[in-house]
């Protein structure tokens, strides 16, 4: 199975390269390399991250580089109960140990969230 997946990935990579295209991971890696080489030309006071529980090590590295370059503050929203992207490199450890990765941290826990319309909430509450 690994040989088949490896061959598919090789074809995928060759096709991207032949068309001068990048996938998300390539884009993140290239952005990190550019920041290391040239720094940032903009200042970011805040970095806002949604779905933090699904962050990969590569994405963390990009955030870390931007944060260190600008002394940015990080505002992250995530749910440690629903990390689903382990296959793409996410680590629930980053949300469980946020302070270890980002230093000073203030955690505000939301105990109730409503992502649906009030009408749907009313119907579901009756049910």
């Amino acid at each position: 199975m690994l040989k088949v997946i490896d061959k598919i990935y090789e074809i995928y990579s060759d096709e991207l390269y032949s068309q001068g295209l990048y996938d998300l991971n390539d884009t993140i890696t290239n952005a990190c390399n550019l920041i290391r080489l040239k720094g940032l030309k903009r200042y970011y006071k805040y970095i806002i991250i949604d779905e933090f529980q699904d962050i990969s090590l590569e994405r963390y590295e990009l955030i870390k580089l931007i944060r260190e370059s600008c002394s940015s503050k990080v505002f992250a929203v995530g749910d440690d109960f629903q990390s689903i992207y382990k296959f793409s490199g996410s680590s629930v450890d980053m949300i469980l140990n946020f302070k270890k990765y980002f230093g000073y941290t203030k955690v505000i826990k939301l105990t109730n969230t409503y992502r649906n319309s009030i009408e749907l909430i009313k119907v579901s509450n009756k049910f």
Side-chain angles (χ1 to χ4, degrees), residues 62-80:
L62 178 59
I63 294 161
K64 181 179 169 196
L65 287 167
I66 294 170
R67 187 174 160 262
E68 289 171 351
S69 296
C70 304
S71 298
S72 304
K73 293 182 178 163
V74 174
F75 179 86
V77 177
D79 184 348
D80 60 350

Side-chain angles (χ1 to χ4, degrees), residues 16 32 40 45 47 55 57 59 78 84 88 108 115 123 125:
L16 283 177
C32 288
L40 287 173
K45 187 173 180 179
I47 301 169
I55 194 166
L57 291 172
R59 293 175 189 182
I84 62 171
S88 67
I108 301 170
R115 294 185 178 183
V123 169
N125 283 341

Side-chain angles (χ1 to χ4, degrees), residues 10-105:
E10 183 182 327
I11 293 167
Y12 169 76
S13 296
D14 290 346
E15 186 64 23
L16 283 177
Y17 182 78
S18 72
Q19 294 188 35
L21 301 173
Y22 298 96
D23 65 11
L24 180 60
N25 285 337
D26 291 336
T27 303
I28 293 168
T29 300
N30 290 342
C32 288
N33 290 337
L34 282 171
I35 293 170
R36 283 188 196 99
L37 287 172
K38 298 184 178 186
L40 287 173
K41 297 189 188 308
R42 293 193 166 181
Y43 172 80
Y44 299 95
K45 187 173 180 179
Y46 298 101
I47 301 169
I48 301 170
I49 307 164
D50 192 16
E51 303 293 343
F52 186 83
Q53 74 275 2
D54 297 324
I55 194 166
S56 65
L57 291 172
E58 293 81 10
R59 293 175 189 182
Y60 163 73
E61 185 64 24
L62 178 59
I63 294 161
K64 181 179 169 196
L65 287 167
I66 294 170
R67 187 174 160 262
E68 289 171 351
S69 296
C70 304
S71 298
S72 304
K73 293 182 178 163
V74 174
F75 179 86
V77 177
D79 184 348
D80 60 350
F81 193 68
Q82 67 160 345
S83 182
I84 62 171
Y85 289 108
K86 180 113 176 113
F87 68 89
S88 67
S90 73
S91 171
V92 75
D93 180 64
M94 284 192 213
I95 195 167
L96 294 175
N97 297 297
F98 192 87
K99 185 175 184 175
K100 177 175 89 174
Y101 292 93
F102 290 100
Y104 171 77
T105 301

